[in-house]
Amino acid sequence: MGKVAINIATGSLQTEDIIVGIDLGTTNSLVAIVREDSQQPIALKETDGLTLVPSIVHFDEYNNITVGNPAKDMLLKQPERTIYSAKRLMGKSYKDVSKEAGFFSYNVIDDDTDSLVKVQIGDKFYSPIELSSAILSELKKRAEHILKVNISKAVITVPAYFNDAQRQATRDAGRLAGLDVLRIINEPTAASLAYGLGAKANEEKTIAVYDLGGGTFDVSILTISNGIFEVLSTNGDTYLGGDDMDRAIANYWSEELGIPADDKMAMQHLRVTAEAAKKHLSKNDGFEGEISGKKVTLSRDKFNELVQPLIDRTITACKNALKDAGIAKDKIDAVVMVGGSTRVPIVKESVKSFFEKDVFDDLNPDEVVALGAAVQADILAGKNTDMLLLDVTPLSLGIETMGGLMDVLIPRNSKIPNKIARQYTTQKDGQSGMRISVFQGERDLVKDNRKLAEFNLTGIPGMPAGLPKVEVTFLIDADGILRVSAKELRSGVAQSIDVKPQYGLTDEEVEKMLLDSLTHAKEDIGTRALVEASTEAKQMLDTTEKFISKHSDSLSEEEIAATRKQMAVLAAAINGQDKDKIQQETEQLNDVSRPYAERVMEGALKDAMKGKKVL
Ligand code: AMP
């Protein structure tokens, strides 16, 4: 029997916690639940009849936030204040996204470092986590409005190719939005679950999930065996989707009408009509429209011809995914279609003919991932007992890193057995030891979590800071015993310890730790951001100091004076504990030093070319 509670905000009776499924997409996001009466997953619909919320965030001059369709309306009016595709930035450093920077019409901070990217709007800086959190807050608000209950628990989906940092960032975004993220699941896994694939015990299946959205394409090959999904391979193109079809049509028309491709306004208009034509052709054989008083037409055949090269690229990706998975085409038991662009008939036909199989396409391809997340949520809520529930870790496990931050290696609800390794390095020149402190809990600062064990890795040979590579490995065996080991990869020095994570914790304690993490989510993430900004700023001060003392001969007095002045301002900002201010002044110091740093580096490079020694 579940608890009965009354929601004070709405006056409604809340019988049990509802866990929602959320598809946090690159272009659109949505929420789904499993209906209590029919046991079927449904996407939540607002009074406007819409289930999809565009994943777009707009900030006005006073930093008021709007999300979804109202934000989408601002895309053309205030491009520098309207953020789309924040998902592409999740868990990435500027180096990771530098090649794609041209794609964004807003300002992605380019300090060309390994630190995580941020977006600058006016004098404020936002992390992709904060941006995604704004979208999740909106989804939470919508769900609460529709269901008339508080929503505090969710399952969120991510692409199968997301790495650890990107998954952790998604989890943090959820927490910041006041959601306890019970599990992060792969989008293709969710899509399969929505169709009930892998729902039964003893079922073994190999599934291909073909996901063609507005801007991205991926295909995944999964196996499901006894309720355990495993992604064997993924392939795709993060810049291929329905938008490219629209562009192909627009280019064709622009040639026909004699509109130059650099006429931005006209091309924009063409693209909007092109998308309408494409959608029309999913159901009809021909399209007729009008652009600036001129008639445009498009037959289904011509459209098929225009998009064929794009579809060919997706089929090549399917071949590669099969090859990487080591699976022959005829061993695929089911093909699942995901993403709005799979509504295009020729896409469907091409996929069917490639796999020589009918495809699963009965569910709405825009909703199928969220529906599957809802099915997973239902299993976690213990309502769906037909499906398997795997053994999982109740709380996150991690180690202490700079500034007393908790670095999670195994997030809570990860299945066991499990193994993960991550590399760390030293902060001081010649540092010969490293303390590995293992913690359990959901808070961002280790002091608020539970310490499980601690050991020292000693005997690291003297090297400059940042050079040693210390790999920390967490291994949980099937009995829930955690073994933590650390190894310096250059020298081979190693050390390890056994920990029993759950020992001594009652269910109530676990619950309290989870609740604490939710209550403190906002302040925790604020603290984390501040600690990270300060650490980065301190490193910047350190590097700059070293640089100017080493190259003082090559710098003018003015340059040194300007640098010293900005260093003092930055040091003061660190004391002031205002994250945005610290980031702003770090940027500023970067701007002051960049010109001469580049000059000195270029000089050194030239000397090196001449065969001189570079220091
Ligand atoms: P998604 O990213 O999954 O939301 O997919 C959105 C993409 O699906 C956009 O490129 C849409 O133009 C496309 N789309 C939506 N409906 C249709 C349709 N009926 N026919 C063809 N493409 C569509």
Side-chain angles (χ1 to χ4, degrees):
M1 179 63 204
K3 293 182 203 124
V4 178
I6 291 172
N7 181 333
I8 302 173
T10 61
S12 64
L13 201 63
Q14 190 176 343
T15 47
E16 260 176 85
D17 273 355
I18 293 181
I19 310 177
V20 295
I22 296 180
D23 172 4
L24 182 60
T26 310
T27 333
N28 293 305
S29 298
L30 71 155
V31 189
I33 58 154
V34 169
R35 279 178 66 138
E36 195 110 18
D37 47 2
S38 64
Q39 286 298 304
Q40 290 302 311
I42 50 153
L44 295 182
K45 217 180 255 179
E46 259 293 10
T47 38
D48 56 13
L50 301 176
T51 55
L52 300 183
V53 177
S55 306
I56 301 177
V57 186
H58 173 261
F59 295 83
D60 72 8
E61 284 71 9
Y62 309 101
N63 295 307
N64 294 316
I65 303 178
T66 44
V67 175
N69 279 312
K72 194 174 179 179
D73 293 341
M74 301 305 288
L75 265 182
L76 289 178
K77 288 184 215 146
Q78 287 194 318
E80 72 292 348
R81 294 192 153 269
T82 314
I83 315 299
Y84 53 88
S85 286
K87 186 174 175 180
R88 293 186 189 274
L89 303 175
M90 286 292 259
K92 297 214 173 153
S93 70
Y94 182 74
K95 270 190 189 146
D96 295 333
V97 292
S98 56
K99 277 202 211 82
E100 311 167 33
F103 169 83
F104 304 99
S105 59
Y106 46 86
N107 191 11
V108 181
I109 292 299
D110 61 341
D111 54 3
D112 197 21
T113 63
D114 288 322
S115 55
L116 295 179
V117 290
K118 282 163 210 108
V119 167
Q120 183 172 14
I121 297 160
D123 58 358
K124 289 263 177 206
F125 295 83
Y126 297 94
S127 66
I129 296 177
E130 290 167 291
L131 299 165
S132 294
S133 157
I135 298 167
L136 290 169
S137 293
E138 175 69 21
L139 296 175
K140 173 170 143 69
K141 208 169 76 194
R142 272 172 75 108
E144 288 176 339
H145 184 240
I146 298 166
L147 298 170
K148 312 263 181 287
V149 292
N150 276 328
I151 301 291
S152 64
K153 293 182 176 160
V155 169
I156 304 182
T157 59
V158 294
Y161 55 77
F162 256 28
N163 64 24
D164 207 47
Q166 293 170 301
R167 284 164 200 265
Q168 191 55 40
T170 306
R171 199 175 271 278
D172 285 347
R175 281 212 301 147
L176 188 56
L179 290 168
D180 181 6
V181 182
L182 296 187
R183 202 173 282 188
I184 297 279
I185 65 168
N186 289 322
E187 288 162 9
T189 302
S192 308
L193 275 175
Y195 279 106
L197 294 166
K200 294 184 194 69
N202 303 325
E203 191 176 32
E204 293 209 7
K205 277 205 155 65
T206 309
I207 306 165
V209 180
Y210 179 100
D211 182 348
L212 187 60
T216 62
F217 167 68
D218 49 272
V219 54
S220 312
I221 310 292
L222 330 169
T223 57
I224 158 107
S225 162
N226 286 321
I228 301 177
F229 281 90
E230 193 180 350
V231 178
L232 298 182
S233 69
T234 69
N235 209 294
D237 188 331
T238 46
Y239 287 93
L240 174 63
D243 299 347
D244 297 290
M245 299 185 182
D246 306 346
R247 221 167 286 132
I249 302 173
N251 287 343
Y252 165 67
W253 280 342
S254 78
E255 262 176 41
E256 277 214 322
L257 299 178
I259 297 172
D262 57 2
D263 184 342
K264 277 195 176 160
M265 278 303 279
M267 285 308 285
Q268 176 63 16
H269 194 172
L270 273 181
R271 266 204 294 276
V272 172
T273 315
E275 187 184 10
K278 173 185 73 176
K279 289 186 178 173
H280 184 80
L281 289 172
S282 289
K283 289 248 157 63
N284 306 276
D285 289 333
F287 171 84
E288 277 185 26
E290 211 189 78
I291 291 167
S292 321
K294 288 182 194 149
K295 193 176 146 192
V296 286
T297 60
L298 191 65
S299 68
R300 169 85 72 90
D301 286 345
K302 184 68 200 173
F303 169 73
N304 288 353
E305 185 190 314
L306 290 173
V307 299
Q308 191 61 53
L310 303 171
I311 297 174
D312 290 346
R313 280 163 63 191
T314 70
I315 298 296
T316 306
C318 291
K319 285 183 194 154
N320 291 335
L322 285 169
K323 198 163 118 219
D324 291 346
I327 297 277
K329 206 163 66 175
D330 59 358
K331 291 284 179 301
I332 298 287
D333 300 306
V335 182
V336 175
M337 301 296 262
V338 182
S341 300
T342 58
R343 288 198 182 89
V344 173
I346 191 178
V347 169
K348 247 182 236 188
E349 284 151 28
S350 308
V351 176
K352 278 185 199 170
S353 99
F354 172 72
F355 284 102
E356 297 170 30
K357 195 167 261 94
D358 234 1
V359 295
F360 282 82
D361 64 351
D362 289 342
L363 296 173
N364 181 333
D366 288 318
E367 296 176 356
V368 59
V369 167
L371 297 177
V375 171
Q376 176 73 57
D378 199 47
I379 299 175
L380 289 175
K383 292 186 192 153
N384 186 336
T385 45
D386 292 346
M387 288 202 189
L388 282 182
L389 190 61
L390 303 171
D391 221 2
V392 295
T393 52
L395 291 165
S396 302
L397 296 162
I399 65 168
E400 175 175 358
T401 56
M402 40 100 206
L405 285 180
M406 170 91 172
D407 194 31
V408 172
L409 277 96
I410 299 190
R412 80 187 211 83
N413 277 323
S414 298
K415 69 169 194 260
I416 53 180
N418 205 321
K419 184 180 170 184
I420 190 136
R422 194 174 289 166
Q423 284 186 13
Y424 299 87
T425 189
T426 49
Q427 280 181 309
K428 295 201 183 82
D429 289 343
Q431 187 177 330
S432 66
M434 199 183 224
R435 200 185 57 201
I436 313 286
S437 306
V438 184
F439 286 83
Q440 177 183 44
E442 307 312 307
R443 301 286 303 276
D444 275 339
L445 294 177
V446 292
K447 72 175 175 56
D448 300 318
N449 289 330
R450 184 168 187 263
K451 191 182 215 169
L452 294 175
E454 185 173 278
F455 65 95
N456 279 316
L457 177 67
T458 52
I460 303 174
M463 281 182 254
L467 210 56
K469 283 187 177 169
V470 176
E471 185 171 81
V472 175
T473 306
F474 273 38
L475 185 135
I476 311 184
D477 66 16
D479 298 324
I481 308 287
L482 171 70
R483 161 165 280 237
V484 180
S485 53
K487 183 175 183 183
E488 201 289 303
L489 299 177
R490 294 180 194 276
S491 58
V493 189
Q495 202 70 243
S496 74
I497 195 166
D498 282 349
V499 191
K500 207 176 162 205
Q502 257 176 297
Y503 180 75
L505 274 192
T506 61
D507 281 357
E508 285 74 31
E509 280 172 312
V510 170
E511 194 159 319
K512 178 167 182 310
M513 289 175 90
L514 290 178
L515 275 175
D516 276 356
S517 81
L518 269 184
T519 331
H520 298 289
K522 264 221 162 73
E523 107 198 21
D524 265 14
I525 293 190
T527 317
R528 176 182 279 271
L530 178 62
V531 172
E532 280 173 356
S534 307
T535 311
E536 202 180 319
K538 281 180 198 154
Q539 272 164 358
M540 180 76 192
L541 283 176
D542 217 36
T543 328
T544 315
E545 181 66 53
K546 276 191 190 147
F547 193 92
I548 51 177
S549 46
K550 193 164 165 187
H551 300 286
S552 53
D553 292 351
S554 318
L555 308 184
S556 70
E557 268 174 33
E558 290 77 27
E559 282 170 335
I560 295 182
T563 309
R564 290 246 172 260
K565 193 169 153 217
Q566 182 54 28
M567 286 171 74
V569 174
L570 179 55
I574 296 175
N575 285 333
Q577 308 238 319
D578 174 345
K579 178 200 77 155
D580 285 325
K581 178 88 179 139
I582 296 172
Q583 284 172 332
Q584 221 168 315
E585 299 306 343
T586 308
E587 268 301 293
Q588 193 59 39
L589 181 55
N590 224 336
D591 288 346
V592 172
S593 57
R594 190 180 291 128
Y596 64 71
E598 278 170 6
R599 192 183 69 223
V600 171
M601 283 320 191
E602 262 169 34
L605 210 62
K606 273 192 202 128
D607 287 349
M609 305 277 237
K610 278 188 237 147
K612 284 192 194 164
K613 190 166 169 256
V614 192
L615 282 181

